[in-house]
Amino acid sequence: MDDTGAAPERNENGASGPANPIERRLVMRLLHYWRDKAEPNDMPARADIDIASMPEFAPYCWLARVGADEKDIAFETAGESFAIDNAHLLAGMKLAAAPAGTLIAHATAYAAKVVVSRVPMSFGGEFRHLDGRTLLYRSIILPLRGEGTDIGYLLGAANYRAAQE
């Protein structure tokens, strides 16, 4: 309790502090954006998402089209943060063909699980990049409706930093 006798505010994690602290994590901000665009009890449609109009997210995002099954997924675009992985070469490439040891390969590794489960998933960790640096990363993949109620696209994002060695 504070001096007024009122109990301190608790945030969504139960910790003392403001009820709505400013979220700094990219993946959580993008998840909140996705939820705001989502239909009740469903996911947002691809048409509801305009990556170019999201300057705070766009450099870290990738978009992929889902084909006939959960493993038939191909990149449409990838933001500037994936320049480390030659993002300009990704358009049209199958996610499964992303070179091992790249940020994009780690950030998309669980894409098929998102297609099957129909819910967003977030992962992170560390890995040795092709350029020799150890990178710490955090990523998220969000399903988007295509035509009707089927998943037609995946919106993903990842950010990273070099580990202290």
Side-chain angles (χ1 to χ4, degrees):
M1 292 203 189
D2 64 16
D3 311 12
T4 65
E9 289 185 34
R10 299 277 177 191
N11 65 22
E12 58 197 24
N13 298 320
S16 294
N20 293 315
I22 296 173
E23 179 59 61
R24 291 183 29 198
R25 292 170 294 182
L26 168 76
V27 297
M28 293 306 296
R29 291 191 333 260
L30 189 57
L31 178 60
H32 291 301
Y33 173 84
W34 181 88
R35 285 180 177 155
D36 287 345
K37 297 287 186 178
E39 300 291 324
N41 303 319
D42 200 9
M43 65 193 84
R46 166 63 183 100
D48 296 335
I49 305 293
D50 180 13
I51 296 171
S53 72
M54 306 181 309
E56 71 274 25
F57 300 130
Y60 308 99
C61 287
W62 55 266
L63 182 68
R65 184 176 187 87
V66 177
D69 66 48
E70 69 271 4
K71 296 196 190 280
D72 184 21
I73 307 168
F75 289 106
E76 285 197 354
T77 63
E80 297 165 12
S81 75
F82 297 102
I84 188 174
D85 297 334
N86 295 315
H88 64 282
L89 301 175
L90 295 175
M93 179 190 292
K94 301 284 186 192
L95 269 61
T102 60
L103 175 62
I104 199 72
H106 284 273
T108 61
Y110 52 98
K113 291 179 183 178
V114 173
V115 173
V116 171
S117 68
R118 300 177 55 91
V119 297
M121 291 185 180
S122 180
F123 287 94
E126 82 177 44
F127 70 98
R128 173 89 46 202
H129 191 269
L130 287 176
D131 68 8
R133 294 183 295 164
T134 297
L135 300 182
L136 304 172
Y137 78 100
R138 187 174 288 145
S139 64
I140 190 166
I141 302 177
L142 307 148
L144 302 173
R145 278 185 292 115
E147 300 298 319
T149 60
D150 290 338
I151 294 176
Y153 297 86
L154 295 175
L155 172 61
N159 57 1
Y160 69 95
R161 67 178 172 83
Q164 300 295 327
E165 296 190 44

